[in-house]
Amino acid sequence: MATKAEASVEKKIEEATEKMTADLKKGFDAFADLFKTPKLDVTSVIEFQKKNIEAAVEANKIAFEGAKAAAQAQIDMTKDAVAKFNDAATEVFSTKSPESSVTKGYEVAQMMFQSNLKGYREVTDLVIASNQKAIAILQARYTAGVEELKASA
């Protein structure tokens, strides 16, 4: 539910848009009359661009949410890696012989590498998925825009 202030701002934006549209129409009509060219449907042009902007805003929101999710996943991975490293260090240094420390250290390093690799794959998949969604929105708008232009010609 929009607040009173938001409703007021939206009303002012609507009023300004209507005034701008009327002023543009008047100017383009005068130009068309002056040079004997077809008149431009300013309302359709503005509506067309409004749809383009809405699609761009939606795509950017999806891309931002994807980036935010990727950043959070990286934070979680780092916290997990630090905890695993602390546990592993305690385990490695608590062994009795140097040979078993080296063996244990190798096992821990290998486990951490595999874990980090898996985590980075997951982060990459998150980013790819959100970018694909954003691109799909822009492609859909492009296709719709082309169809609108064909219909108006």
Side-chain angles (χ1 to χ4, degrees):
M1 183 117 212
T3 66
K4 190 174 182 180
E6 290 171 334
S8 175
V9 168
E10 287 177 18
K11 183 179 179 196
K12 287 180 182 178
I13 290 171
E14 185 67 32
E15 289 170 356
T17 301
E18 288 173 8
K19 182 177 180 342
M20 180 187 71
T21 302
D23 290 345
L24 281 172
K25 182 172 179 11
K26 210 183 305 180
F28 281 115
D29 286 351
F31 180 85
D33 290 342
L34 181 64
F35 292 103
K36 309 288 187 248
T37 61
K39 293 189 177 185
L40 177 66
D41 184 1
V42 175
T43 305
S44 295
V45 172
I46 289 173
E47 189 60 33
F48 183 84
Q49 291 303 331
K50 182 179 175 186
K51 290 176 186 176
N52 290 343
I53 291 168
E54 288 169 350
V57 167
E58 185 179 351
N60 282 332
K61 283 180 183 177
I62 289 171
F64 176 76
E65 289 301 320
K68 192 166 94 173
Q72 186 59 51
Q74 287 178 325
I75 289 168
D76 294 344
M77 273 180 15
T78 302
K79 286 179 181 178
D80 186 48
V82 169
K84 285 179 182 176
F85 180 78
N86 286 337
D87 294 344
T90 302
E91 199 174 322
V92 167
F93 291 118
S94 67
T95 58
K96 303 289 183 216
S97 70
E99 294 83 11
S100 61
S101 289
V102 170
T103 302
K104 191 64 180 169
Y106 172 77
E107 290 170 359
V108 167
Q110 188 176 26
M111 181 267 311
M112 289 183 74
F113 176 78
Q114 292 298 326
S115 176
N116 287 339
L117 188 60
K118 180 183 175 219
Y120 286 119
R121 282 187 188 134
E122 290 170 2
V123 169
T124 301
D125 290 344
L126 274 172
V127 171
I128 288 171
S130 69
N131 286 345
Q132 286 175 335
K133 288 178 188 174
I135 289 169
I137 289 168
L138 295 174
Q139 286 175 329
R141 177 60 204 140
Y142 174 79
T143 301
V146 168
E147 294 303 317
E148 288 172 26
L149 289 173
K150 284 180 184 177
S152 70

